[in-house]
Amino acid sequence: MRVFKKLKSLAKQLKQELAVYQLVIKHPQTPLLAKALLWLAVGYLLLPFDLIPDFIPILGQLDDLVIIPVLLYFALLLIPPSLLQSCREQVQQSTNTSKH
């Protein structure tokens, strides 16, 4: 059960911080493998496509609940926390300036 909570939390995090992860993908210090994993996760989120066919019982319905968070999880292992924080701050600053 803890694993599914963590996976759901990661999927929610990606949706909430989509702009942050888009910046991380573009950042030159982001490792190439992390960029690829994030690109797949964001792409899957924005343009859903089935990696696991729906005719496979249960698995076909869990692809977006498992694939996106697993991709994000492994990408986060590769991304330096300071880089992620920097991108969060950039998004926060641009959000604050656009509100004024």
Side-chain angles (χ1 to χ4, degrees):
M1 285 300 219
R2 286 170 112 170
V3 172
F4 283 113
K5 277 188 172 183
K6 178 68 173 172
L7 291 175
K8 285 180 82 173
S9 150
L10 284 170
K12 185 177 178 180
Q13 178 182 342
L14 180 64
K15 289 176 185 175
Q16 290 174 338
E17 295 188 314
L18 188 58
V20 171
Y21 291 109
Q22 289 172 328
L23 274 180
V24 171
I25 290 171
K26 294 176 187 176
H27 201 284
Q29 292 179 346
T30 303
L32 188 57
L33 181 56
K35 287 183 182 198
L37 292 170
L38 283 175
W39 184 84
L40 286 171
V42 169
Y44 196 92
L45 180 68
L46 297 178
L47 302 168
F49 50 89
D50 283 337
L51 294 178
I52 302 171
D54 287 335
F55 61 82
I56 298 175
I58 300 173
L59 289 180
Q61 298 169 14
L62 293 179
D63 54 354
D64 59 335
L65 296 175
V66 174
I67 292 171
I68 292 172
V70 167
L71 290 169
L72 181 57
Y73 174 79
F74 285 113
L76 289 173
L77 290 176
L78 301 169
I79 299 167
S82 59
L83 173 69
L84 192 57
Q85 186 59 35
S86 170
C87 290
R88 281 186 177 122
E89 289 169 1
Q90 285 180 24
V91 168
Q92 184 67 26
Q93 286 175 353
S94 68
T95 304
N96 289 342
T97 57
S98 67
K99 287 181 180 179
H100 295 291

